[in-house]
């Protein structure tokens, strides 16, 4: 399973890039707005320059024609941009048009297997089931990830599944077990994934044992 970072925070992206395990970034209008930077193009371009993999940037207009036009504009900002399009009927229309132009789409705000299947048929490069938000309303978000992965495999559909709206490290474990191609994780969750208290205890003990030896 590949790891994407789910953030628009440039400092966090730079820090995570040093680890050498982040192969893409996903943003959304809320994440960009959280950083308080009005220049959307500048933020997205900077992210694209830090991480060479796929960088998802979302359209922020409504209507198939307006979304398609904005998607073309955003796609021109950098070669590694993927356009996030919401999982609606208009969104399908946009994906179909963009797929013909070889512009990659990430079908976002996906909450059902049918939405994912239609996105794959329309030519989406990625679908993003929102695990945490489904869990929030009493559904099983990860069961949806597994269903989508299984169905795409059954029909050999090339669309990749991004487990999104990840809230904690156990979501990452479950996404990997469910066969998600990618998990997009907030920076805090990425840092939690590497931490284990027994590792810290073990390192401290090894070092103190070593220092005791050097004092002899
Ligand atoms: O990748 C989708 C993500 O940005 C949404 O996460 O926590 O707002 O549901 P959340």
């Amino acid at each position: 399973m590949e790891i994407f970072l789910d953030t628009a925070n440039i400092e966090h992206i730079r820090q995570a890039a040093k680890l050498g395990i982040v192969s893409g970034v996903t943003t959304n209008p809320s994440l960009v707005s959280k950083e308080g930077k009005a220049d959307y193009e500048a933020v997205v371009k900077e992210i694209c320059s830090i991480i060479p993999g796929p960088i998802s940037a979302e359209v922020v207009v409504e209507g198939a024609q307006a979304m398609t036009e904005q998607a073309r504009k955003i796609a021109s900002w950098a070669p590694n941009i993927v356009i996030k399009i919401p999982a609606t009927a208009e969104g399908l229309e946009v994906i179909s048009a963009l797929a013909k132009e070889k512009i990659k789409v990430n079908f976002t705000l996906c909450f059902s297997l049918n939405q994912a299947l239609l996105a794959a048929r329309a030519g989406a490069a990625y679908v993003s089931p929102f695990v945490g938000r489904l869990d929030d309303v009493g559904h099983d978000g990860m069961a949806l990830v597994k269903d989508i992965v299984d169905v795409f495999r059954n029909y050999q559909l090339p669309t990749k599944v991004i487990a999104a709206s990840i809230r904690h490290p156990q979501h990452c474990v479950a996404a990997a077990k469910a066969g998600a191609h990618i998990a997009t994780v907030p920076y805090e969750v990425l840092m939690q994934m590497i931490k284990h208290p027994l590792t810290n205890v073990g390192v401290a003990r090894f070092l103190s044992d070593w220092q005791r030896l050097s004092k002899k």
Side-chain angles (χ1 to χ4, degrees):
M1 184 174 75
E2 286 183 66
I3 304 293
F4 285 6
L5 209 55
D6 192 31
T7 185
N9 183 298
I10 299 293
E11 194 45 41
H12 285 168
I13 294 168
R14 286 195 195 287
Q15 288 300 326
K18 289 186 202 163
L19 306 179
I21 46 85
V22 174
S23 47
V25 175
T26 53
T27 69
N28 64 39
S30 304
L31 291 171
V32 176
S33 148
K34 199 170 132 193
E35 299 309 317
K37 292 182 189 160
D39 192 343
Y40 189 28
E41 181 174 345
V43 172
V44 171
K45 280 183 172 171
E46 193 167 3
I47 297 171
C48 289
S49 73
I50 302 169
I51 302 283
I55 308 300
S56 288
E58 191 153 346
V59 290
V60 282
V61 288
E62 288 183 295
Q65 195 178 333
M67 283 195 280
T68 307
E69 281 165 15
Q70 191 178 58
R72 287 188 185 119
K73 195 170 163 207
I74 295 173
S76 74
W77 292 346
N80 51 333
I81 285 182
V82 173
I83 308 296
K84 265 182 155 181
I85 301 287
T88 61
E90 286 177 331
L92 284 179
E93 196 180 323
V94 178
I95 300 179
S96 303
L98 296 179
K100 288 191 192 95
E101 299 171 29
K102 307 270 183 259
I103 295 176
K104 288 188 174 171
V105 168
N106 174 354
F107 209 44
T108 188
L109 289 164
C110 175
F111 294 102
S112 78
L113 179 55
N114 280 333
Q115 288 176 321
L117 183 58
L118 295 176
R121 297 306 319 169
Y126 305 91
V127 293
S128 291
F130 272 33
V131 174
R133 292 193 195 185
L134 276 170
D135 291 354
D136 288 345
V137 294
H139 289 248
D140 185 346
M142 209 52 77
L144 174 62
V145 171
K146 188 171 180 343
D147 282 349
I148 298 171
V149 168
D150 288 347
V151 169
F152 283 7
R153 193 179 293 134
N154 283 348
Y155 294 102
Q156 293 166 14
L157 295 167
T159 307
K160 289 188 175 173
V161 180
I162 304 179
S165 183
I166 294 284
R167 302 280 174 75
H168 48 73
Q170 271 304 316
H171 269 157
C172 299
V173 171
K177 287 183 174 175
H181 301 92
I182 299 149
T184 188
V185 300
Y187 181 76
E188 295 71 22
V189 175
L190 178 67
M191 290 301 126
Q192 287 170 331
M193 285 171 76
I194 187 61
K195 281 194 186 126
H196 198 289
L198 290 180
T199 306
N200 296 346
V201 169
V203 167
R205 192 180 301 162
F206 284 155
L207 287 177
S208 74
D209 287 348
W210 189 251
Q211 278 159 8
R212 203 173 311 122
L213 174 71
S214 60
K215 279 180 194 146
K216 277 185 183 168

